Amino acid sequence: MGNDVLKEGRVIKSTGSRYTVMDANGDTLFCHIKGKFRIKGIKTTNPVAVGDHVTFSVPSGEGHPVITHIGPRKNYIIRRASNLSKLYHIIAANIDQALLTVTLQQPVTTTMFIDRFLITAEAYSIPAVLLFNKTDLYNKATQQQMNDLMVVYEKIGYPCIDISCQSGHHLDKVAALIKGKVSLISGNSGVGKSTLINKLDPALDLKTTEISAMHETGKHTTTFAEMHPLQMGGFIIDTPGIKSFGIIDFDTEEIYHYFPEIFQHSKNCRFHNCLHLNEPGCSVKEAVQEGQISVSRYQNYVGILVQKEEKYR
Ligand SMILES: Nc1nc2c(ncn2[C@@H]2O[C@H](COP(=O)(O)OP(=O)(O)OP(=O)(O)O)[C@@H](O)[C@H]2O)c(=O)[nH]1
Ligand SMILES: [Mg+2]
Ligand SMILES: [Zn+2]
């Protein structure tokens, strides 16, 4: 009694009322929460999220360890608890990077898909990296297409790596990138996410891990995120919900803020509220004409803007 020990750790799994916390030694234990935790500005269904740094007290006698404090979050991703709900569910917090796996063949990842993903990552303050997979399938023309895209995205500031899970090409680079970090892997179905993860850490076997969540009480139908520890150090975040990453409701005027190169040029537009469509004195359109901003990025920006406006008409 009264000799509770305070320890620190990281939430790696949440199943509603119970949290799996990994301590500094890499040991995991189940924790409960005590009291109320609130985040400013949003109402959430879950107070503690996967990825949270927490302080917990371990009772000297009987009973579960209890989470008593949550450290500040550098970022977090959320989704609505249900379609019309004002409540949000925090999927994960403190993510170091988002790896978007894209393929130019089997299947074709569109630049629209890439750009939608990237603006969401920007809005969440999560650094993004593009992995071009299945390069073993590419002929000269497809390779050229990939190189052109890599130039476009590298220039904006998104690192790009061409890889092949089949041949193992540049998988060492991906390993170096994820080592010791919390990475979220995303991308269209069939681009090779599971294949990649299993190549990087054969011990992981994600499917098996998911099924092992047997002792979850049937109360919650929500699928909870999980951080899978990597043997090399670091974690991979995997959740079905993150496949549709674009769940942020953007305001029309803020969309271009998440296209870093458009945002940069917008500072020189004549009108401070320029949307870079047909306004006179638009520096963004000038930069597109001069080739400083890629045409496809600009078109996707306009496409996202138009689609958003149509939704509310
Ligand atoms: N040729 C080739 N095929 C690959 C490569 N990487 C993965 N594949 C194949 O692509 C197919 C889909 O791979 P998955 O790893 O299941 O794709 P996924 O992204 O996990 O798909 P979902 O789980 O549906 O989202 C499998 O048949 C893989 O063998 C690659 O580098 N080259
Ligand atoms: Mg998969
Ligand atoms: Zn403009």
Side-chain angles (χ1 to χ4, degrees):
M1 286 276 278
N3 290 324
D4 297 3
V5 181
L6 282 183
K7 294 179 85 180
E8 290 184 354
R10 191 151 199 192
V11 178
I12 62 167
K13 187 173 179 182
S14 121
T15 52
S17 57
R18 275 210 314 192
Y19 299 88
T20 309
V21 176
M22 187 179 267
D23 69 13
N25 300 323
D27 296 328
T28 56
L29 59 172
F30 292 121
C31 293
H32 288 245
I33 54 170
K34 194 166 88 183
K36 288 190 171 135
F37 296 99
R38 288 220 172 86
I39 309 176
K40 260 196 223 144
I42 58 164
K43 289 200 172 112
T44 62
T45 56
N46 59 327
V48 182
V50 161
D52 271 333
H53 297 285
V54 294
T55 307
F56 57 96
S57 87
V58 184
S60 49
E62 298 252 307
H64 279 285
V66 173
I67 294 172
T68 56
H69 178 77
I70 307 172
R73 295 178 173 127
K74 70 172 176 183
N75 59 34
Y76 55 84
I77 54 179
I78 54 174
R79 71 165 159 243
R80 277 185 206 281
S82 65
N83 255 350
L84 296 170
S85 175
K86 288 218 164 67
L87 278 177
Y88 286 90
H89 182 78
I90 309 176
I91 301 171
N94 300 315
I95 299 157
D96 292 317
Q97 57 188 353
L99 309 181
L100 180 62
T101 310
V102 309
T103 48
L104 302 186
Q105 238 173 287
Q106 298 180 24
V108 175
T109 305
T110 64
T111 60
M112 185 57 128
F113 183 88
I114 296 174
D115 292 339
R116 275 189 180 281
F117 181 88
L118 292 178
I119 63 169
T120 312
E122 289 291 342
Y124 280 130
S125 308
I126 303 172
V129 175
L130 302 185
L131 306 177
F132 290 82
N133 190 29
K134 306 201 186 184
T135 53
D136 55 284
L137 298 175
Y138 300 176
N139 62 18
K140 276 259 149 60
T142 314
Q143 254 170 36
Q144 186 57 51
Q145 193 195 344
M146 177 184 73
N147 291 341
D148 292 346
L149 285 173
M150 285 174 75
V151 169
V152 166
Y153 288 103
E154 289 266 4
K155 188 180 167 201
I156 303 164
Y158 300 110
C160 297
I161 309 177
D162 55 316
I163 64 168
S164 166
C165 293
Q166 176 111 324
S167 74
H169 180 64
H170 280 171
L171 294 189
D172 54 336
K173 285 194 176 182
V174 183
L177 191 70
I178 63 171
K179 191 177 174 191
K181 296 211 175 115
V182 175
S183 307
L184 180 153
I185 294 200
S186 201
N188 285 138
S189 182
V191 294
K193 298 180 294 295
S194 303
T195 312
L196 175 64
I197 291 166
N198 290 333
K199 287 263 173 184
L200 292 168
D201 193 340
L204 215 47
D205 197 4
L206 285 186
K207 280 194 190 103
T208 322
T209 324
E210 257 156 46
I211 294 163
S212 78
M214 280 185 314
H215 36 239
E216 278 180 32
T217 51
K219 262 190 293 184
H220 297 266
T221 46
T222 329
T223 43
F224 294 95
E226 184 166 356
M227 283 182 11
H228 301 282
L230 296 165
Q231 280 186 315
M232 65 177 97
F235 298 88
I236 293 279
I237 292 186
D238 164 64
T239 159
I242 297 179
K243 270 182 198 157
S244 52
F245 194 57
I247 43 122
I248 288 187
D249 299 324
F250 293 102
D251 288 334
T252 301
E253 321 75 52
E254 75 173 338
I255 294 173
Y256 73 82
H257 294 227
Y258 302 122
F259 283 81
E261 77 281 35
I262 296 183
F263 183 61
Q264 193 56 38
H265 284 277
S266 74
K267 291 171 183 161
N268 299 320
C269 293
R270 187 178 306 163
F271 300 111
H272 73 91
N273 57 351
C274 186
L275 287 177
H276 327 302
L277 297 171
N278 295 306
E279 296 92 335
C282 174
S283 277
V284 170
K285 287 201 82 170
E286 265 170 41
V288 175
Q289 265 145 29
E290 286 164 10
Q292 288 167 288
I293 291 176
S294 114
V295 173
S296 85
R297 288 276 292 173
Y298 177 71
Q299 282 174 344
N300 289 339
Y301 161 66
V302 174
I304 290 167
L305 199 77
V306 168
Q307 266 175 24
K308 186 193 154 45
E309 289 301 297
E310 277 170 357
K311 221 168 76 180
Y312 294 99
R313 208 169 287 155

